[in-house]
Amino acid sequence: GLVVTILSLLVGFSLPHWISIVPAFLIMLLIAILFTSLSTMIGSMLRDMQGFQAVMNFLIMPLFLLSGALYPLEGLPKALAVVTFIDPLSYGIDAMRAVMINSSHFSLGTDVLVLAGFTAVFLFFGGYYFKKIQI
């Protein structure tokens, strides 16, 4: 995230407030912990590690494509709107937009609460399943 932020500033992106870098990195940290915990949980449940990458790509790519990172969430068909509503990355992307460019689909408080909630749940289950691994 730091490299992308520096590169974007070098090519002309301007922040409304420089202090918004701090919450942006905290949101990136929450997103990273969420997906690390999710990966730990899924990896702990698999018996064969060769299938881990396929399972993660099958899961992460739809989450990314439906998160609103590539297109706005406004004006989606009802079925896609429901899917983006339950996608935790949607809230992370929306929170990043809120702090970096003052534009969001949900409120920043909703974004952070939902993202923190998903992170706490996946962190709990990631730790739980990791403890159950038998070598």
Side-chain angles (χ1 to χ4, degrees):
L2 179 63
V3 171
V4 171
T5 303
I6 290 170
L7 287 174
S8 65
L9 292 172
L10 290 175
V11 297
F13 177 72
S14 63
L15 293 166
H17 306 285
W18 282 98
I19 196 70
S20 63
I21 290 285
V22 174
F25 282 116
L26 292 174
I27 292 165
M28 280 189 256
L29 179 67
L30 265 177
I31 294 169
I33 293 171
L34 184 145
F35 283 102
T36 301
S37 302
L38 176 64
S39 300
T40 302
M41 181 181 78
I42 291 172
S44 298
M45 290 190 290
L46 293 176
R47 301 269 182 226
D48 183 21
M49 280 298 144
Q50 284 74 22
F52 176 72
Q53 191 64 36
V55 170
M56 289 310 295
N57 281 334
F58 183 72
L59 183 65
I60 298 298
M61 285 306 293
L63 287 176
F64 171 70
L65 293 173
L66 295 171
S67 69
L70 303 177
Y71 55 85
L73 296 177
E74 288 81 19
L76 289 175
K78 186 72 171 166
L80 284 179
V82 169
V83 172
T84 60
F85 187 72
I86 60 173
D87 180 1
L89 189 55
S90 295
Y91 297 95
I93 298 295
D94 196 57
M96 291 293 292
R97 281 195 178 122
V99 298
M100 297 292 273
I101 61 172
N102 291 330
S103 173
S104 66
H105 182 72
F106 309 108
S107 71
L108 181 59
T110 301
D111 290 333
V112 172
L113 284 175
V114 171
L115 192 60
F118 271 109
T119 302
V121 167
F122 285 131
L123 194 57
F124 172 78
F125 283 114
Y128 175 77
Y129 284 110
F130 189 76
K131 276 194 316 190
K132 295 186 102 181
I133 292 177
Q134 295 181 7
I135 298 174

